[in-house]
Structures are given as structure tokens and as C-alpha cells.
Amino acid sequence: RRFIMNSPALIASLCADLTPVKREGVERKLAFAGLIGGGVSLVALLSTLGIQPGFSTIANMTPLAIKAGFAISLAAVGFAATSTLARADGLPTNMFQKAAAIFVLLASLALVQSGHVTNAADAKLLLGASWQSCSLRIAALSIPITGMIGWAVRRQAPVRLRHAGAAVGLTAGAAAAAI
């Protein structure tokens, strides 16, 4: 005998043994995944390049602190959006507006700095000396973070995949830049 199920019976059978998921569990799983991916990236960075020369001098720490603050704040925006969008009931966030506001703040700081330099048109001032290799390193360092956070998000069954993917990418890229 063949079993035929209509839509209401199918829905009832799928919903028969549902258990609610704790909302606070999402952030904990994402944070754990991000820490594992970030740890792998940090070990990879330290084993290949080591610690940046001149790391301990105040003159080098200020620009580094500003860059790290920028990256960490973007990662925090991405993490908040990822934790919202990872849930099936997660609505799109204002992640892009927050990221743009952070970028405008950093661009304002750059304009103030360029006003104090005699040759503001210098490409080194705008891009730095290592922008070509640094971009590739950030992309490479973001791979383990993206993989781990993507794995954690996938387990939460997000509905808005493009938004969730963008949030994961922002989180992983910004975390890799901070590392």
C-alpha cells in the first residue's frame, strides 16, 4: 500500500517534534566559530610573517591602533548583523549604513591628517606602502574565519542568504584586517 500525504498532513508531521532554539545560543556559537577561525588565522600570520617590526614604539602604535579600531568596529557591526541574519526570523539590518558611518569617520580622520602633511598628494599617504600585499594577506587570513562563521551560520538555517553572506563576509574580512 502506498502512503500519500497531503500538504496539511506533511506540515503537521514536520512540526510534530519541534523544539525551540534558544536565541542566546546563536551569538555564542558564532563567537566560538569566529574565535576558532581567528585563532587559525593568527597562528598562520605569526608562523609566516611574525610580529610587525617596530610594534612597541609609540610612533607606530597610533596608526596601528586607529587601523585596528576601524577593523574591530567593522567586525562588530558584521557580527551583530550576522547574529541577527543567522536566525530564520532575522530581518535585514542597517549593517551597510553603520559600516558607511565608520568609513566616513575614518575618511574624516584621513582628511585631517592629510591637511597636516606638506605633500598630501603622495600615494604613500593615501594607500600606505604595503597595500598590494596587505590586501592579499587579509583575503587569505579571512578564509578560516569565513569558513568557521559560515559553518555556524549554516547550522542556524538563515532565510536571507545574500544578506547573511554579506554579513559573514564583512565580519570575516574585518576580523582578518584586525589580525
Side-chain angles (χ1 to χ4, degrees):
R1 175 175 115 163
R2 210 169 121 200
F3 180 73
I4 299 176
M5 185 179 286
N6 57 18
S7 293
L10 174 64
I11 292 170
S13 70
L14 290 174
C15 296
D17 62 345
L18 289 180
T19 56
V21 176
K22 295 178 183 174
R23 286 174 119 13
E24 59 273 359
V26 174
E27 287 84 5
R28 188 173 48 245
K29 288 176 185 173
L30 288 173
F32 179 73
L35 286 174
I36 297 294
V40 169
S41 294
L42 182 61
V43 167
L45 176 71
L46 293 176
S47 65
T48 57
L49 297 176
I51 295 176
Q52 183 175 350
F55 186 71
S56 62
T57 63
I58 294 293
N60 290 336
M61 287 301 291
T62 303
L64 186 63
I66 291 171
K67 291 175 192 176
F70 171 67
I72 290 168
S73 60
L74 281 179
V77 167
F79 182 83
T82 301
S83 65
T84 299
L85 293 166
R87 295 187 295 267
D89 64 346
L91 297 173
T93 65
N94 56 355
M95 170 183 69
F96 295 112
Q97 291 86 354
K98 289 179 181 178
I102 293 168
F103 179 77
V104 166
L105 177 64
L106 186 68
S108 300
L109 286 172
L111 284 173
V112 168
Q113 180 188 11
S114 68
H116 296 294
V117 176
T118 57
N119 187 4
D122 190 6
K124 265 188 161 178
L125 179 63
L126 182 62
L127 298 172
S130 63
W131 67 272
Q132 293 156 328
S133 60
C134 192
S135 327
L136 294 174
R137 289 175 185 153
I138 290 171
L141 290 173
S142 71
I143 292 171
I145 303 169
T146 304
M148 289 303 298
I149 295 176
W151 172 80
V153 167
R154 183 173 177 247
R155 295 180 52 94
Q156 301 301 315
V159 175
R160 292 168 179 82
L161 299 178
R162 289 182 184 152
H163 292 270
V168 169
L170 176 64
T171 305
I179 290 171

